[in-house]
């Protein structure tokens, strides 16, 4: 049978390019888990993905009810689940004030981390029961949260501190809207959420890899300077960023190439190792990258796991 893969945020950018790359192999059925159903349908159509190779299902990661409903609808479809790709993200670098999820969490961390945390935890059992040869959970990371890189050192730097803001609810009422308890900063909130993504991948690996045989991985696909991720940025940035990445940092990667990279992490037999953060060099060869000290801190990963469980209602 074909493999079944759920990709969150497959209505644009990296998620869409990955859906297309996997569908074109003829070996995968892609469940596009998207907040805007119509947009996702249109995107799949205009990308030329054949009808029999995808299903769009509604998922709004900024609502934990929606995450639970998505899991119910997916189960009702009767499809087995072989691979989950947590790809969706919001990035609000110019926001002066925080926005919030349905449950009242700061939007970037609420969507990128907490929504995916609940989704992954709920679907883990489904993946565990699949009879597919290589079962995987992939959480898209980023270099920007990784302070052992040049890009990760552009201020404001990611820093989760002692997680006091997260522990007290991240809601701006009786707590800070930032994980470390500091003042709201949209760019930092995104970077913090990406550190959470990388810590969660490693904690999943430590807790579940041996027992389930599931491969847990993260990746930095390269700088895909053309995606909608930068839609909230100031216009001048949006004009200058792609050529800057293309000619100055040379970190630029097209959406199509980035999609092929993520598709490799989904199904390539050479990228099957669990607990790995994948990157690609200039010749597009994959390698296991190092994470910054904070993004590989085991104690922080455990603490993040426990607080996140409480916030999403699992503990
Ligand atoms: P896009 O903005 O193009 O894609 C993000 C996707 O997430 C969209 O499909 C968007 O849906 C979806 N999304 C946002 N909020 C929600 C929500 N509440 N519920 C469900 N889906 C949601 O950006 P990219 O393709 O660039 O980003 C994809 C991933 O790649 C992210 O994890 C990002 O951090 C990562 N990344 C990107 C890099 C880059 O250079 N672009 C570099 C490194 C990592 P909608 O279409 O409805 O807006």
């Amino acid at each position: 049978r074909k493999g079944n893969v759920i990709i969150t945020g497959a209505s644009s950018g990296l998620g869409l390019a990955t859906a297309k790359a996997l569908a074109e192999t003829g070996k995968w059925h892609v469940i596009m888990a998207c907040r805007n159903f119509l947009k996702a349908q249109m995107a799949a159509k205009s990308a030329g993905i054949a009808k029999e190779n995808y299903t769009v299902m509604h998922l709004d990661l900024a609502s934990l009810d929606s995450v639970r409903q998505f899991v119910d609808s997916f189960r009702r479809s009767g499809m087995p689940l072989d691979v989950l790709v947590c790809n969706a993200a919001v990035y609000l670098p110019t926001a002066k004030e925080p926005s919030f999820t349905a449950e009242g969490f700061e939007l970037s961390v609420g969507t990128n981390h907490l929504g995916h945390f609940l989704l992954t935890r709920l679907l883990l059992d489904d993946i565990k029961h699949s009879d597919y040869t290589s079962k995987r959970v992939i959480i898209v990371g980023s270099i920007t949260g990784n302070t052992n890189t040049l890009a990760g050192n552009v201020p404001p730097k990611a820093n989760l501190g002692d997680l006091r803001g997260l522990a007290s609810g991240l809601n701006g009422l009786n707590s800070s809207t930032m994980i470390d308890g500091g003042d709201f900063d949209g760019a930092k909130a995104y970077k913090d959420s990406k550190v959470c993504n990388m810590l969660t991948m490693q904690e999943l690996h430590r807790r579940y890899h041996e027992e389930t045989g599931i491969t847990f991985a993260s990746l930095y696909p390269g700088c895909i300077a053309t995606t909608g991720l930068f839609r909230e940025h100031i216009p001048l940035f949006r004009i200058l960023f792609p050529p800057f990445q293309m000619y100055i940092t040379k970190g630029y990667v097209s959406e199509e190439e980035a999609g092929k990279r993520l598709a490799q992490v989904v199904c390539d037999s050479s990228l099957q190792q669990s607990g790995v953060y994948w990157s690609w060099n200039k010749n597009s060869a994959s390698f296991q990258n190092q994470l910054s000290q904070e993004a590989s801190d085991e104690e922080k990963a455990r603490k993040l796991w426990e607080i996140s469980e409480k916030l999403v209602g699992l503990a």
Side-chain angles (χ1 to χ4, degrees), residues 8-16 33-36 39 59-63 86-90 107 111-112 116 140-144 190 194 197 219-231 241 255:
T8 67
S11 50
S12 74
L14 178 61
L16 180 62
C34 299
R35 63 176 165 179
N36 186 332
K39 181 180 174 185
L59 166 66
D60 181 356
L61 288 158
S63 154
C86 299
N87 159 77
V90 284
L107 192 65
T111 305
N112 308 355
H116 278 135
V140 178
S142 181
I143 205 169
T144 52
Y190 169 80
K194 290 281 125 182
N197 287 156
L219 71 153
Y220 171 63
C223 184
I224 331 161
T226 50
T227 71
L229 198 66
F230 307 103
R231 63 171 85 73
F241 192 51
E255 292 181 30

Side-chain angles (χ1 to χ4, degrees), residues 64 105 109-118 166 170 308 311-312:
L64 299 179
F105 305 124
V109 173
T111 305
N112 308 355
H113 168 58
L114 292 171
H116 278 135
F117 181 82
L118 179 63
L166 188 70
L170 211 66
S308 303
L311 293 181
V312 303

Side-chain angles (χ1 to χ4, degrees), residues 109-181:
V109 173
T111 305
N112 308 355
H113 168 58
L114 292 171
H116 278 135
F117 181 82
L118 179 63
L119 181 71
T120 306
R121 289 290 301 277
L122 294 177
L123 289 174
L124 215 52
D125 244 9
D126 302 70
I127 305 174
K128 190 170 146 185
H129 292 122
S130 132
D131 59 359
Y132 208 70
T133 41
S134 179
K135 308 182 270 196
R136 303 183 189 187
V137 171
I138 299 149
I139 308 180
V140 178
S142 181
I143 205 169
T144 52
N146 218 359
T147 51
N148 63 345
T149 64
L150 193 63
N153 274 303
V154 176
K157 287 195 240 177
N159 179 12
L160 310 188
D162 62 3
L163 303 165
R164 69 177 65 180
L166 188 70
S168 49
L170 211 66
N171 54 30
L173 294 172
N174 45 15
S175 78
S176 158
T177 51
M178 300 297 286
I179 294 181
D180 65 359

